[in-house]
């Protein structure tokens, strides 16, 4: 289940985002400090071009979906997500949660946000996510270099089109 993130969720998100496995596949890989996170949350929660959702698995907060650069008129937006790796691994639910959060986020983008296109970026080296994106009907639009923590890194731009929401 996805629900809007609240102020009470702010401090849950930071250790999940700072998990070494999450950082290693993110476009921002430095450890995020509490004051940086608090500033991000303050700005994000009032930004109409963003939506941050908490993924709950069996009633337990277990991940974050972030939509950004939302443009209602164009029907477009970008997204990313991450999970509570430690908590889900402890409960033996990491793999099913990974599948569920993406499916629920795509459905939310289509049915709630009414997007026509949903864009994302994945490290080119993250083949498991690229394969799963392809199974979820994301097209790889282009590959380009991006500097991540001072290192040129190949990134893949993906896009999912929802014909039913075409404008």
């Amino acid at each position: 289940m996805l629900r809007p993130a609240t102020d009470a969720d702010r401090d849950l998100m930071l250790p999940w985002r700072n998990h070494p496995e999450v950082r290693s596949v993110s476009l921002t890989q430095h450890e995020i400090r509490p004051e940086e996170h608090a500033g991000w949350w303050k700005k994000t929660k009032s930004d109409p071009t963003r939506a941050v959702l908490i993924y709950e698995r069996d009633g337990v907060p277990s991940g974050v979906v972030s939509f950004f650069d939302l443009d209602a008129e164009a029907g477009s937006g970008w997204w990313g997500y991450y999970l509570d790796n430690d908590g889900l691994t402890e409960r033996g639910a990491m793999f099913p949660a990974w599948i569920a959060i993406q499916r629920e986020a795509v459905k939310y983008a289509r049915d709630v946000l009414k997007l026509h296109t949903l864009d994302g970026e994945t490290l080119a080296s993250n083949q498991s996510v690229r394969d799963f994106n392809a199974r979820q009907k994301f097209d790889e639009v282009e590959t380009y270099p991006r500097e991540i923590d001072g290192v040129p890194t190949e990134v893949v731009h993906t896009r999912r089109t929802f014909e039913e929401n075409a404008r």
Side-chain angles (χ1 to χ4, degrees):
M1 174 186 107
L2 293 176
R3 62 166 176 78
T6 67
D7 288 339
D9 297 310
R10 186 191 82 179
D11 293 338
L12 282 177
M13 293 185 262
L14 182 58
W16 300 344
R17 176 57 181 81
N18 274 339
H19 190 282
E21 291 172 3
V22 172
R23 287 189 3 244
S24 74
V25 295
S26 297
L27 300 179
T28 304
Q29 296 185 347
H30 71 276
E31 186 169 336
I32 298 167
R33 296 282 174 228
E35 55 278 359
E36 180 183 358
H37 182 65
W40 167 83
W41 177 246
K42 183 178 181 183
K43 186 173 79 173
T44 296
K45 70 180 185 174
S46 62
D47 184 344
T49 69
R50 298 188 71 97
V52 178
L53 307 171
I54 297 295
Y55 166 71
E56 290 188 352
R57 183 161 189 85
D58 300 324
V60 177
S62 300
V64 177
V65 176
S66 181
F67 293 102
F68 54 96
D69 292 342
L70 292 170
D71 182 334
E73 189 173 314
S76 63
W78 288 73
W79 78 306
Y81 66 94
Y82 53 91
L83 293 163
D84 171 13
N85 285 22
D86 288 341
L88 288 162
T89 299
E90 254 178 47
R91 296 190 306 274
M94 187 63 172
F95 185 68
W98 181 52
I99 293 170
I101 194 172
Q102 188 178 63
R103 287 184 177 160
E104 289 185 30
V106 167
K107 185 177 180 193
Y108 191 93
R110 183 191 64 219
D111 298 344
V112 177
L113 297 175
K114 304 292 186 194
L115 298 184
H116 173 62
T117 58
L118 178 61
D119 291 274
E121 292 177 304
T122 304
L123 298 180
S125 61
N126 194 346
Q127 194 62 49
S128 58
V129 169
R130 291 175 66 188
D131 291 345
F132 189 61
N133 285 343
R135 285 192 294 276
Q136 297 303 310
K137 301 179 183 173
F138 280 86
D139 295 318
E140 292 191 351
V141 178
E142 63 181 321
T143 301
Y144 43 84
R146 170 173 294 172
E147 191 169 299
I148 298 178
D149 292 340
V151 177
T153 306
E154 289 294 306
V155 173
V156 179
H157 172 192
T158 58
R159 176 174 293 146
R160 170 82 188 259
T161 302
F162 306 105
E163 294 301 329
E164 60 272 30
N165 292 343
R167 302 188 189 273

